[in-house]
Amino acid sequence: MKIKSANKHRSAGANSEAKLRSRMRRWEAGALKNSLARLPERRARFASDSGTEIKRLYTPLDLRKNDYLRDLGFPGEPPFTRGAQPTMYRGRFWTMRQYAGFGTARETNLRYRYLLKHGQTGLSVAFDLPTQIGYDSDHALAEGEVGKVGVAISTLQDAEELFRGIPLDKVSTSMTINSTAAVLLAMYIAVAEKQGVRTEALQGTIQNDILKEYAARGTYIYPPGASMRIITDIFDFCRRRLPRFNPISISGYHIREAGSSAVQEAAFTIANGIAYVEAALKAGMDVDEFASRLSFFFNAHNNFLEETAKFRAARRLWGRIMSERFRARDPKSCVLRFHAQTAGCTLTAQQPDNNIVRVAVQAMAAVMGGAQSLHTNSRDEALALPTEDSVRIALRTQQIIAHESGVADTVDPLAGSYAVEALTDEIEAGARKYLKKIDSMGGAVKAIEAGYMQAEIADSAYRHQLAVEKGGRVVVGVNRFETAEQPVNKVLRVSPALEREQRRKLAAFRKKRNSRKALEAVEKVRDAAAGTDNVMPPILEAVKAGATLGEISDALRQLFGEHREI
Amino acid sequence: MNSKKRKIRVLIAKPGLDGHDRGAKVVVRALRDAGMEVIYTGIRQTPEAIAGAAVQEGVDFVGLSCLSGAHNHLFTKVVKLLRAKGARGVTVFAGGIIPASDIPGLKKAGVKAIFPPGTPTRDIAQWLRAAAKHL
C-alpha cells in the first residue's frame, strides 16, 4: 500500500512538474517576451555583489531536487537549515552585542556601563592592536597604537578595571582576541575569581581563530603549527573548566571584509572549522567532547537575499560535515551557532547617515538567517571609532527589528521562498567545491600557507573595486547620487594622553609587583609550551603572579618563533 | 617627457600593527594596471623598515595605508625618516581611515595627498602621474 501511494505521489509530482514547465515556456514566449520588447531589463546579467548570478524568476522547478525533510527539516534538528534552536526568537531575541573598546580600561568600562544601561545584553571587547599582537603598552612597536582600535590590556590590573562593577556571572563576554587569547582568557578567569564568580559559571566567547588571521586579518604572532597547539590546549582546558564558554569563534567576518564573496566566506570559514576539528581530534579529544562549544562569526553584507541564504547554507553544510565526515553522535555537535556583524566595508565616508539604513538592511538579513548574536555598526565608522550617539542608534536599530518589525515572531520566515531556497542550495554547492579544492591541497592550514585563500580573497576584492569604478556596481553617495558635503568633524578621538597614562600605569605596576615571582611563572609557561603540558594552567598562574601579556607572549615568541607573511 | 623613458616607481606600505590591507592591495594592483612599477611591503612594517625600503628600491612615491588610528604618529615618522636619509625626491601620499580634521596636520608634516575611503583608484593614478611630471 505504502509503496503504491508513494509511486502515485511521485507520478503526480512529475505530472505537475511537466505542466509547470510547459506553462513557464508559454509565459516566456508570451507575456515575458512582450514585456521585454517594451522595456528591456536594467542589465543583461544580474548578479549579487559577490558574483552569484540572480535569476529573473525562481519557481518550484528550481527546488525540484529539494527534499523538505532531508534538506530543511525542523529548527533545532539536523541539518539545522531552519535554525539552531526550536523556538528561535520566540523564546529569546538574539544577544545584542556591540563591539566596543578604546583608550584605557577605565574609558572602556564606562562605555560598557553605558551600553548595558541602554539595553545591550552582552559585552564584546575590542582590544587595541598591541594587546592583540602580544606587546605591552610600553613596547616600542606599540607607539601610536595604544588604545586606538580597542582597549589596552597589559596586566591583570587592567583587566580588573575593565570589568569593574560588571557581574561576570550574569553578563556574557565576547573577546576579539586571537594569538593572545590564552592570556586574555586567563585574565578573565582571574578577574572572575576575584569577583567570587566560579569559573564554571562563566559565559562568553574568545575569538581564538588564528587561521583567518593568517588569511585575512593579520594579528598572528607564532607560526601555524604552534598556534594550532595553543588553540587545542584552550579547547581542552575550556572543556574541563569552562563548560559554558565558547573557546573559539570561527570567523568568516574578516575574510569577507578583506574582499571575499559570500560563497568564499562560507567555504573558507568552514574549511578553517574543519581544520580545528581535525587538530582537536589529533590532540586526543573526542568530537562530542568539544564540538558543541565551537561557535562561528559571519558578516552580514548588503545583498539581503544572498546573505540570508548564506547563513542557512552554512548552518546546513556544517551540520552535514559534522555528522557525515566527523561522525558526531550528539546533535549539539552539529549545530552551527553564530554571531553576525554588519559589514564594515560597506560603510561609506560620504553621506554617513546613509549607513544607518545599510546597517538596518544587513541586520535584518542576519536575523532572517537566524543569528544567535548581532553587532550593528555605527554610521560613522568609515571616519573613526563611533561616538556614543552613533552607537546608540546602531543598538536601537536592533531593538526596532526585534520589537517592532515582527520578523522575530516566526521561525526562519523566508524558508520556502523559491529564491532563498535556491540561493541556499547554490551557496552550499559553491562552498563544497571550494572545500574539495582545499581538501586536495591538504586542508585549510596548507591552503593558507600556500597563500591560496589570500589570493582568492584579493582577486575578489579587486574585481569588486573595478565593478564599482566602472559604475556597474552602484554605491549610493559614492559613485551615484553624490552631494557636496561638509567634512564631518564630530568624531570620537582617542587622546594621545591616554597612551601616556597607560604607560605610566604599567610602569607603576611593574614597580609594585614581585618581579622575580612573575618571571618565574613565565618560565613555567615556557616549560609547558616546550613540552606537552597544557599551557593554560601556567598562563593563569603567571597572570595572577603579575606577569604581563607582553612577557608571556615574548617567552612563547622565543620558543616558537614568529610567523612571516609570504 | 622623461616619464615615458621609465615607469613611475611606487612603494605601498602598511606601517604599524594594522592588518587591514584590502585597500592597500587594491591600490597596488590598480597602479600596476595603470603601468606603474609597484612594490608592496606587506603588513606590520616599522617606519624604519619602510623608509629603508623606499631608499633601497629608489622609488618615486611612498603610499602609506593605515586604518588603526595611528596615522598621525606613523605617517609623520616615515616622512621624517625619509628626510633624514636624504630621500627628498620621494613623495609621500596616504589613505585609510583618516578623520578630516587630521588632514591639515598631516599635509603640514609632508604627506602630499590623502585619499579617503571611496576614492576611485584612477584618481590616485592620475594624481601620481601629475605629481611625477618632474621626473
Side-chain angles (χ1 to χ4, degrees):
Chain A
M1 280 306 276
K2 264 185 188 161
I3 293 167
K4 224 178 195 172
S5 73
N7 275 340
K8 201 170 148 194
H9 180 75
R10 203 170 301 141
S11 73
N15 262 342
S16 74
E17 193 184 309
K19 198 167 159 190
L20 180 53
R21 215 179 275 283
S22 105
R23 286 293 295 271
M24 187 149 160
R25 272 196 295 268
R26 207 195 302 166
W27 172 77
E28 283 168 347
L32 175 65
K33 201 174 162 199
N34 294 338
S35 169
L36 288 174
R38 276 197 309 275
L39 178 69
E41 290 181 335
R42 286 180 284 115
R43 273 178 250 152
R45 181 179 181 270
F46 285 74
S48 73
D49 249 5
S50 56
T52 306
E53 181 162 7
I54 306 294
K55 290 170 63 173
R56 173 184 301 120
L57 186 74
Y58 293 89
T59 69
L61 292 174
D62 294 287
L63 308 180
R64 64 187 190 284
K65 287 187 189 145
N66 228 304
D67 178 313
Y68 184 84
L69 290 177
R70 185 194 63 199
D71 299 318
L72 297 174
F74 292 93
E77 285 183 4
F80 301 102
T81 317
R82 302 213 54 189
Q85 196 264 330
T87 61
M88 290 303 289
Y89 309 133
R90 286 168 67 99
R92 193 174 59 201
F93 289 125
W94 59 92
T95 304
M96 298 177 192
R97 198 188 286 286
Q98 298 295 93
Y99 183 47
F102 58 94
T104 63
R106 204 184 53 235
E107 266 75 30
T108 302
N109 179 265
L110 291 176
R111 177 65 71 93
Y112 291 165
R113 290 171 181 230
Y114 174 87
L115 285 165
L116 292 168
K117 195 183 105 198
H118 280 272
Q120 171 163 294
T121 49
L123 292 179
S124 174
V125 186
F127 296 98
D128 72 359
L129 285 165
T131 306
Q132 292 189 52
I133 306 174
Y135 299 120
D136 287 333
S137 298
D138 55 1
H139 194 284
L141 290 175
E143 212 179 319
E145 308 266 18
V146 175
K148 283 284 162 44
V149 301
V151 58
I153 302 290
S154 301
T155 66
L156 180 56
Q157 179 185 286
D158 293 335
E160 278 171 51
E161 203 168 357
L162 182 64
F163 296 110
R164 184 156 298 157
I166 297 170
L168 298 187
D169 52 342
K170 297 201 174 67
V171 171
S172 73
T173 304
S174 163
M175 291 188 266
T176 299
I177 197 74
N178 294 279
S179 52
T180 55
V183 180
L184 272 302
L185 175 62
M187 287 181 180
Y188 192 72
I189 294 169
V191 172
E193 283 178 7
K194 287 200 175 181
Q195 282 190 4
V197 174
R198 288 179 316 121
T199 307
E200 289 72 22
L202 291 176
Q203 287 186 74
T205 307
I206 41 174
Q207 197 163 76
N208 199 24
D209 169 14
I210 201 68
L211 292 175
K212 66 91 176 56
E213 296 297 326
Y214 301 120
R217 189 169 174 273
T219 71
Y220 46 74
I221 305 176
Y222 321 112
S227 297
M228 292 299 275
R229 181 269 172 99
I230 298 172
I231 289 169
T232 51
D233 279 2
I234 295 173
F235 281 12
D236 201 42
F237 179 82
C238 286
R239 168 175 87 77
R240 294 168 200 276
R241 303 275 306 276
L242 287 85
R244 302 175 74 192
F245 206 86
N246 303 316
I248 194 166
S249 171
I250 307 162
S251 305
Y253 183 82
H254 319 87
I255 290 172
R256 189 70 179 279
E257 286 292 297
S260 86
S261 69
V263 172
Q264 289 168 335
E265 179 194 353
F268 297 167
T269 308
I270 286 176
N272 291 345
I274 290 170
Y276 293 121
V277 172
E278 283 174 346
L281 295 176
K282 215 171 138 195
M285 283 171 258
D286 181 272
V287 65
D288 288 313
E289 285 177 339
F290 65 89
S292 68
R293 297 305 329 172
L294 303 177
S295 67
F296 288 79
F297 174 22
F298 289 110
N299 197 300
H301 211 276
N302 274 337
N303 192 302
F304 179 77
L305 298 177
E306 183 182 43
E307 291 300 288
T308 303
K310 176 189 74 185
F311 300 125
R312 301 173 80 245
R315 200 162 40 231
R316 179 162 75 198
L317 183 53
W318 184 250
R320 287 176 167 164
I321 287 169
M322 290 311 289
S323 71
E324 289 160 18
R325 178 168 177 160
F326 293 112
R327 304 273 164 222
R329 297 166 303 278
D330 184 352
K332 285 201 191 93
S333 303
C334 306
V335 190
L336 181 152
R337 294 170 298 123
F338 72 99
H339 172 70
Q341 177 172 341
T342 58
C345 62
T346 66
L347 300 178
T348 62
Q350 296 76 9
Q351 305 177 32
D353 284 350
N354 294 348
N355 292 324
I356 297 171
V357 183
R358 291 192 178 95
V359 166
V361 173
Q362 296 166 1
M364 190 71 122
V367 170
M368 291 299 190
Q372 275 57 57
S373 66
L374 178 61
H375 166 104
T376 33
N377 290 330
S378 297
R379 58 184 165 172
D380 45 2
E381 289 185 68
L383 305 164
L385 287 186
T387 61
E388 233 167 50
D389 284 348
S390 301
V391 173
R392 197 184 54 246
I393 295 170
L395 177 59
R396 294 287 181 260
T397 304
Q398 295 200 39
Q399 290 160 339
I400 290 168
I401 293 173
H403 296 280
E404 298 184 16
S405 77
V407 298
D409 295 347
T410 183
V411 176
D412 190 24
L414 291 187
S417 147
Y418 303 124
V420 169
E421 294 298 357
L423 288 171
T424 302
D425 292 349
E426 208 167 306
I427 290 171
E428 185 186 357
R432 276 187 188 278
K433 270 190 207 148
Y434 272 112
L435 289 180
K436 213 169 158 190
K437 166 101 188 168
I438 291 166
D439 274 341
S440 77
M441 300 177 81
V445 179
K446 288 274 186 303
I448 288 168
E449 283 174 340
Y452 169 72
M453 284 190 198
Q454 297 90 313
E456 284 285 315
I457 294 167
D459 283 348
S460 293
Y462 194 50
R463 263 199 306 276
H464 174 82
Q465 180 70 22
L466 293 180
V468 170
E469 294 194 12
K470 286 179 182 144
R473 189 60 63 196
V474 175
V475 184
V476 172
V478 175
N479 64 359
R480 281 276 282 283
F481 316 111
E482 300 104 308
T483 44
E485 290 176 76
Q486 292 298 317
V488 180
N489 277 319
K490 200 182 165 234
V491 298
L492 182 105
R493 307 197 66 93
V494 179
S495 159
L498 291 180
E499 181 162 330
R500 291 194 291 274
E501 186 195 324
Q502 173 67 10
R503 283 173 200 252
R504 262 199 307 275
K505 251 173 61 190
L506 184 53
F509 176 88
R510 288 192 207 274
K511 216 167 170 181
K512 206 176 66 192
R513 70 172 183 179
N514 181 337
S515 287
R516 202 174 58 95
K517 206 175 123 207
L519 297 179
E520 275 170 15
V522 172
E523 275 309 301
K524 290 197 176 126
V525 173
R526 186 222 275 272
D527 290 347
T532 55
D533 286 351
N534 193 312
V535 294
M536 275 307 298
I539 289 177
L540 183 55
E541 288 312 309
V543 302
K544 286 184 192 169
T548 66
L549 167 111
E551 288 161 351
I552 296 169
S553 305
D554 275 344
L556 297 176
R557 261 189 200 100
Q558 281 165 16
L559 180 71
F560 292 135
E562 287 185 71
H563 175 74
R564 293 266 172 253
E565 209 180 21
I566 40 163
Chain B
M1 281 302 107
N2 279 344
S3 61
K4 276 186 185 159
K5 281 188 201 153
R6 71 169 179 87
K7 289 182 173 182
I8 296 172
R9 288 172 63 80
V10 186
L11 179 78
I12 298 291
K14 288 282 302 175
L17 304 179
D18 172 35
H20 295 86
D21 64 349
R22 173 180 183 164
K25 282 176 168 168
V26 163
V27 169
V28 167
R29 279 172 88 155
L31 297 182
R32 278 183 192 149
D33 284 357
M36 300 178 197
E37 216 169 283
V38 190
I39 303 152
Y40 174 46
T41 60
I43 59 170
R44 285 166 58 180
Q45 302 295 317
T46 60
E48 288 79 6
I50 292 166
V55 170
Q56 201 187 338
E57 299 285 347
V59 296
D60 309 307
F61 295 93
V62 173
L64 301 170
S65 160
C66 179
L67 283 74
S68 75
H71 48 270
N72 285 336
H73 171 74
L74 294 164
F75 292 179
T76 313
K77 201 161 172 193
V78 173
V79 174
K80 271 191 196 148
L81 287 164
L82 282 170
R83 283 184 185 152
K85 288 177 186 289
R88 292 193 173 273
V90 180
T91 304
V92 177
F93 66 101
I97 306 278
I98 318 284
S101 50
D102 284 351
I103 292 176
L106 287 169
K107 288 203 166 162
K108 211 172 142 198
V111 180
K112 293 292 176 206
I114 309 235
F115 300 102
T119 305
T121 54
R122 60 173 174 272
D123 290 5
I124 303 174
Q126 254 165 31
W127 182 87
L128 288 172
R129 275 197 206 98
K133 280 230 170 85
H134 64 280
L135 294 175

